[in-house]
Every structure is written in C-alpha cells, then in structure tokens.
Amino acid sequence: AQSVTQLDSQVPVFEEAPVELRCNYSSSVSVYLFWYVQYPNQGLQLLLKYLSGSTLVESINGFEAEFNKSQTSFHLRKPSVHISDTAEYFCAVGRSGNTPLVFGKGTRLSVIA
Amino acid sequence: GAGVSQSPSNKVTEKGKDVELRCDPISGHTALYWYRQSLGQGLEFLIYFQGNSAPDKSGLPSDRFSAERTGGSVSTLTIQRTQQEDSAVYLCASSFPYADTQYFGPGTRLTVL
C-alpha cells in the first residue's frame, strides 16, 4: 500500500520569500511522484512530476521538487513566491502510468503582500 | 482543446435521494478516474476505468456508490440513498493509455441536506 504525508496543512509566507512544502511518501514499490496545484475555485492542475532520471524536476513557473529516495521525500520549493502562488498544493504518488493516484491531504499556501 | 468537463457543477439534494454525476473525458483518453475531495479527508480515489477492462472499484466507500462508462467515453457516478457524509467535491480525471499525467475536471460539488 502507498501513502503520502504532507506535513503542513497551512503555510503562510510573505511575497518574495522562499517556501518549502514538505511531502513524504511510503511505498514498497517504485513510484511516480507528482505535485498538483488547485487555485481558488479551480480544478487540479499538474505542477510537476518525477518519473525517473534526474531527481530534480522543475515547473514552468519557478517551482522545483527533488526526489530523495533514501528519505522518501519529494519536497516542493520556490525561491521567491508571488501573490499568484496562493493555492492548495497536493503531493501524490502512483505506481505507474494509468494507475489511481494516492494524494496527501494538501497544503494551503497563502502568500501575504 | 477541450478539457475534462463535469456536470452539474453544483448539486444540492436531500438525504435519501439518488444523484447522478457526469464526466466527459478528453477525446482519446481511454483511462478515466473518479476521486472525492472532502474536508479533512483530502482526495480519495473511488473508481478507475481503462478501456474495455473491468473497472477498479476498490475505492468505492459503500455499495450505494456505482459508476459506469458508456462507449468508452462518458462516465456517470451514481450515489443511491445519499447521506450527509457524501457531501464533497467529486472530481473526474482522464489520461491517455498508459500515460502518467491525469487531467482533472472542475468537479461537482455535492451537498446533501
């Protein structure tokens, strides 16, 4: 069985400050790892994913995440946040393509001006 | 192109009534997933369809929940004899065959009074 733990339910941060949203997973098999973002009153959108290869993955809007197998973590980081990054962020794991995802409970990021 | 669409966007029903929620996946996506997003529980997998294979129903919380997919495209999630604990946002996602990225619809917010 797989599980995902997002250690922080809410993270307030000032604009232009760095942020890290933590995600740990548990799985007995190799997994794919994802971060999805849900902006207010919108659906889930894929932010970035790790399938294999380089352990550092990046999104088009400045977020990055690093897969750490020994620590079973996939933390999301951004060096300087914007007001527009205010959203809920979900970490998820999947066994392979086309399998249901197991999600964490989400982290609400609030960027303060 | 068109994304995943769901209808209705909001549904308010009385306890004990049956409801049907509809999902139109992206054209060409043979995999279709239903998830439930509720307060305190995060996102939970409900059911998964892949092409003509038997669906994976392992996430359905009770026998009051069922889903079907007609013609390999549109899917309907049916909840019979609704209970207040069924109140949640029901999300549908679809993906290409054996692809890792799931595309989510905007969801149906179900409120059971």
Side-chain angles (χ1 to χ4, degrees):
Chain A
Q2 300 162 310
S3 66
V4 176
T5 302
Q6 291 184 244
L7 297 164
D8 306 296
S9 59
Q10 296 187 62
V11 174
V13 62
F14 286 105
E15 193 173 19
E16 298 183 8
V19 70
E20 179 181 80
L21 306 183
R22 295 179 292 170
C23 172
N24 287 88
Y25 70 92
S26 172
S27 177
S28 58
V29 298
S30 296
V31 295
Y32 294 170
L33 293 157
F34 305 84
W35 277 99
Y36 279 83
V37 59
Q38 187 173 35
Y39 296 104
N41 301 313
Q42 294 188 31
L44 281 161
Q45 303 173 31
L46 179 67
L47 187 61
L48 47 74
K49 61 186 177 185
Y50 170 77
L51 306 180
S52 64
S54 173
T55 57
L56 184 65
V57 291
E58 299 177 353
S59 72
I60 59 173
N61 58 352
F63 281 93
E64 64 179 30
E66 185 162 17
F67 170 58
N68 188 318
K69 188 174 182 180
S70 63
Q71 297 186 5
T72 60
S73 68
F74 191 55
H75 301 331
L76 182 69
R77 302 184 181 95
K78 189 170 185 180
S80 175
V81 295
H82 301 132
I83 294 288
S84 59
D85 294 323
T86 293
E88 189 147 20
Y89 293 79
F90 293 91
C91 182
V93 300
R95 282 199 318 274
S96 63
N98 266 187
T99 58
L101 296 175
V102 175
F103 285 87
K105 293 193 174 183
T107 297
R108 186 172 300 276
L109 174 64
S110 298
V111 181
I112 305 160
Chain B
V4 178
S5 61
Q6 293 186 244
S7 61
S9 55
N10 280 286
K11 176 73 176 178
V12 180
T13 190
E14 294 179 347
K15 178 181 173 182
K17 301 281 190 182
D18 298 352
V19 296
E20 287 188 349
L21 312 179
R22 177 187 169 106
C23 171
D24 280 274
I26 293 171
S27 178
H29 283 193
T30 60
L32 187 148
Y33 309 78
W34 284 98
Y35 295 88
R36 178 169 69 174
Q37 185 177 18
S38 51
L39 284 174
Q41 296 298 319
L43 274 149
E44 304 170 285
F45 161 69
L46 297 176
I47 187 169
Y48 159 54
F49 297 88
Q50 170 54 51
N52 295 321
S53 302
D56 176 356
K57 304 179 182 180
S58 60
L60 294 178
S62 78
D63 59 8
R64 296 186 295 104
F65 288 73
S66 63
E68 62 178 21
R69 190 175 185 191
T70 53
S73 182
V74 172
S75 177
T76 302
L77 177 69
T78 301
I79 309 173
Q80 296 178 310
R81 304 180 305 280
T82 52
Q83 304 294 313
Q84 288 183 331
E85 61 262 29
D86 299 334
S87 295
V89 176
Y90 289 82
L91 295 168
C92 176
S94 69
S95 70
F96 283 114
Y98 308 106
D100 50 83
T101 300
Q102 297 179 22
Y103 295 85
F104 283 80
T108 294
R109 182 176 296 278
L110 174 66
T111 303
V112 182
L113 301 177

